[in-house]
Amino acid sequence: MKKLLLLSAAASLLIACSTSIPEKFHESDELPDIYPDYINVMVPVNIAPLTFEIDGKADDMVTRLSAGNEELIVGGKKVQPDADEWKRLVDAAKDDGIKVEVYVDKSNRWTRFKPFNIYVSPDSIDPYISYRLISPSYVTYEELTINQRNLENYDESVIYDNMLCSDGPDGQCINCHNYQQYNPDRMQFHARQNMGGTIIAYDGDIQKIGMGNDSILSAGVYPTWHPWLKLIVYSTNKTGQIFHSVDPNKIEVFDTESDLIAYDVEKNEVTNIENDPTEMECFPFWAPDGKTLYYCSAHFEYKDTVDNGAEFTSRTEELKYNLYKKSFNPETMQFGPRELVFAADSLDKSATLPRISPDGRYLMFTLAKYGVFHIWHHDADLWMIDLQTGKVRNMEEINSPDTESYHSWSSNGRWIVFSSRRYDGNYTRPFLVHIDSNGQGSKPFELPCADPDWHRQFLKSYNVPEFMRGPVTIRPQQFAAAIKQDAKPVKYVGRLSK
């Protein structure tokens, strides 16, 4: 009897969900309240189907999507287009848009909301992104994965799972995945604590490097690959964290010391390139010409040398990072002196995470009141410098009232993926946005999922989203085998050479 009742309920549900446009309805001047908010967004021509649901109570919903001669009518409270049907719509809407009409039934009264568009750009997007998935707590960081996601569908797979090398109380943290020119065959990431080391995969060869050395501050932390040389620049950081009791920013992550080092992958040699004890250098990034290195740095001088940690904790809001650059000669492997690019401290602000567009014209960065780890700052916004004109502006068309932080350019320079906490203030999720030739952004849209409610049910944050030209094909077990090996120690040199 119980099984029969379940079947009857399912049948009733199928009958209740209409798949045809209602004959009678009330016209509304308001746009529908949908989640995710895909109203009037611009998407790449090769993006996976955008799915959404009505955000609120409704008895039924019917949605019509149309472009050119193509039309798709979807019944039910969740709009989940079939991949083939979506592809036909997108192809018909190139350089134009998909018209979306939402009809909602509440208490036997149908309402047709104001139609909106999903605009389709002919600019394609790199087929993959990767990110670290992490719980937004401070005791379970040993359960981490670096994942990759196909943007042309919903396929997701694990690049590396640190539980493969965790052993009871001996936990392991993994972070800072990075690629040379979007190439998934040339990547690196760090394993911390248990079996720690830097993993470098280069065209099928996997090595575990022990980059710690008495001549440098720490092992490499935040990386940037040179566009073509086997050279990685890192910041080296002594990092701490404190918890706020009343501040709306829950946690503060900061560096008590930080420098810049350069690592020659082929020679296994490392050297300091910026190590002023009164400067906090961080977040390096190569320009696409391979001749300029950008980074951020804050000036800080300790007054009490007895307990640097306690002093720094009490003075964290004094930290104002500016943007700098250094010239680099690929023939001699030598760096020039630093040059100021943007004085954020003159605005009583702090600028971090400089990222250069592939054509070398635009520099996007994150700006907040103070500090370096802006992912924890609710006031953090994305800003842009036009390196041709020198104009600096707030990317108001992208930003929200909450956190915008880590960002990466697509290989064609027409898309940005960035981390945002705009929906709930707690979880970072990837948002994509089109950037036109004038550096203007369209309305950002959340990473599409097969189930539109997925991100509201998924209790992890997406950390450090990076574009890739394809998937990493090295299996997690291969990375684990490399991590279990002894690390290859680096050799310190006074200067790099060809």
Side-chain angles (χ1 to χ4, degrees):
M1 178 62 72
K2 184 176 181 180
K3 186 178 292 186
L4 180 61
L5 288 174
L6 288 172
L7 289 172
S8 298
S12 299
L13 181 62
L14 289 171
I15 293 171
C17 293
S18 175
T19 54
S20 60
I21 302 300
E23 295 181 1
K24 296 181 179 180
F25 50 83
H26 169 73
E27 290 276 8
S28 173
D29 293 332
E30 297 181 354
L31 290 165
D33 188 9
I34 62 170
Y35 174 81
D37 179 9
Y38 290 143
I39 294 174
N40 297 331
V41 298
M42 179 175 289
V43 302
V45 67
N46 59 327
I47 196 69
L50 267 59
T51 66
F52 61 89
E53 61 187 342
I54 195 71
D55 204 10
K57 292 183 178 180
D59 298 320
D60 200 1
M61 186 170 88
V62 177
T63 304
R64 174 160 53 197
L65 301 94
S66 57
N69 296 322
E70 295 292 334
E71 180 181 89
L72 173 63
I73 298 176
V74 181
K77 300 175 188 177
K78 292 185 178 183
V79 178
Q80 297 166 292
D82 172 80
D84 292 335
E85 294 171 333
W86 175 258
K87 183 67 167 60
R88 288 194 292 270
L89 279 170
V90 167
D91 287 343
K94 283 181 185 177
D95 290 319
D96 198 355
I98 299 170
K99 181 180 179 181
V100 184
E101 303 165 78
V102 175
Y103 300 78
V104 173
D105 176 29
K106 291 183 180 180
S107 302
N108 294 319
R109 184 175 187 241
W110 284 95
T111 298
R112 177 183 183 267
F113 286 91
K114 183 179 179 180
F116 64 89
N117 290 318
I118 297 173
Y119 298 103
V120 179
S121 169
D123 296 323
S124 61
I125 199 167
D126 294 302
Y128 276 81
I129 60 170
S130 57
Y131 38 78
R132 184 175 67 154
L133 292 178
I134 180 171
S135 300
S137 62
Y138 320 105
V139 292
T140 61
Y141 67 90
E142 282 108 342
E143 297 178 15
L144 303 175
T145 59
I146 299 174
N147 285 27
Q148 57 190 356
R149 161 71 193 273
N150 190 331
L151 294 178
E152 298 179 339
N153 53 47
Y154 310 115
D155 291 348
E156 184 181 48
S157 60
V158 173
I159 295 175
Y160 177 65
D161 182 343
N162 71 330
M163 295 302 289
L164 292 172
C165 290
S166 289
D167 182 19
D170 295 322
Q172 183 187 80
C173 176
I174 50 171
N175 56 16
C176 301
H177 53 284
N178 191 259
Y179 308 89
Q180 184 180 45
Q181 286 295 90
Y182 309 91
N183 186 343
D185 295 326
R186 298 176 180 180
M187 73 168 297
Q188 76 96 68
F189 67 90
H190 302 304
R192 306 290 189 195
Q193 297 175 278
N194 186 40
M195 304 180 190
T198 295
I199 297 298
I200 296 179
Y202 199 93
D203 294 346
D205 179 47
I206 309 173
Q207 294 193 57
K208 179 183 176 182
I209 306 300
M211 207 168 294
N213 186 281
D214 290 343
S215 298
I216 59 178
L217 181 64
S218 72
V221 181
Y222 304 116
T224 179
W225 281 85
H226 188 273
W228 68 85
L229 295 175
K230 285 188 175 182
L231 179 68
I232 307 175
V233 169
Y234 294 93
S235 64
T236 56
N237 308 67
K238 288 190 175 180
T239 303
Q241 66 179 17
I242 55 175
F243 295 86
H244 295 293
S245 57
V246 294
D247 195 289
N249 297 323
K250 296 182 179 68
I251 184 174
E252 195 64 51
V253 179
F254 54 88
D255 295 325
T256 56
E257 296 180 70
S258 55
D259 296 328
L260 296 182
I261 62 171
Y263 172 66
D264 187 317
V265 175
E266 199 160 40
K267 295 181 179 180
N268 193 37
E269 294 177 345
V270 65
T271 190
N272 285 299
I273 58 175
E274 282 286 334
N275 60 343
D276 186 332
T278 66
E279 289 289 327
M280 303 287 186
E281 302 93 350
C282 197
F283 292 131
F285 192 82
W286 285 105
D289 65 2
K291 297 178 181 179
T292 310
L293 178 75
Y294 289 83
Y295 63 99
C296 63
S297 183
H299 186 77
F300 187 86
E301 296 185 27
Y302 286 99
K303 299 174 183 177
D304 179 2
T305 57
V306 176
D307 190 342
N308 286 355
E311 179 182 346
F312 200 93
T313 298
S314 66
R315 297 175 60 194
T316 53
E317 294 194 18
E318 295 180 26
L319 265 288
K320 310 287 183 178
Y321 283 76
N322 295 325
L323 300 182
Y324 295 90
K325 66 179 180 180
K326 292 173 72 69
S327 63
F328 175 74
N329 187 330
E331 297 300 320
T332 63
M333 300 284 282
Q334 298 308 301
F335 292 88
R338 77 172 190 174
E339 302 173 54
L340 180 65
V341 176
F342 175 63
D345 61 355
S346 66
L347 305 175
D348 196 29
K349 298 286 187 179
S350 183
T352 69
L353 289 167
R355 296 291 181 265
I356 317 300
S357 60
D359 62 3
R361 179 172 177 180
Y362 296 107
L363 187 160
M364 188 177 287
F365 62 97
T366 306
L367 193 72
K369 180 66 176 174
Y370 67 92
V372 69
F373 219 70
H374 288 344
I375 194 65
W376 289 110
H377 295 162
H378 292 291
D379 66 322
D381 283 332
L382 295 176
W383 282 57
M384 182 95 87
I385 302 175
D386 186 330
L387 295 176
Q388 284 186 5
T389 66
K391 181 181 178 181
V392 183
R393 73 178 186 92
N394 185 331
M395 298 288 287
E396 294 177 328
E397 70 275 24
I398 292 178
N399 293 318
S400 72
D402 217 302
T403 306
E404 267 71 56
S405 184
Y406 195 93
H407 47 283
S408 300
W409 291 87
S410 66
S411 62
N412 63 6
R414 286 291 169 259
W415 299 94
I416 288 283
V417 60
F418 66 95
S419 297
S420 180
R421 289 185 171 166
R422 63 186 58 200
Y423 278 145
D424 56 28
N426 293 312
Y427 294 91
T428 53
R429 300 183 177 100
F431 281 75
L432 300 161
V433 61
H434 184 263
I435 305 293
D436 67 20
S437 58
N438 296 315
Q440 188 71 25
S442 61
K443 179 180 176 179
F445 65 96
E446 190 178 24
L447 176 70
C449 296
D451 184 341
D453 206 44
W454 170 253
H455 282 142
R456 293 201 285 201
Q457 306 297 325
F458 186 55
L459 303 181
K460 287 191 175 183
S461 287
Y462 293 75
N463 182 250
V464 190
E466 292 276 1
F467 280 111
M468 308 143 70
R469 296 184 189 273
V472 173
T473 55
I474 298 171
R475 292 180 293 108
Q477 291 78 9
Q478 290 174 274
F479 281 128
I483 288 173
K484 291 175 183 177
Q485 302 299 312
D486 292 336
K488 182 179 179 181
V490 296
K491 177 184 177 182
Y492 182 82
V493 294
R495 56 183 287 173
L496 299 178
S497 61
K498 266 293 191 179

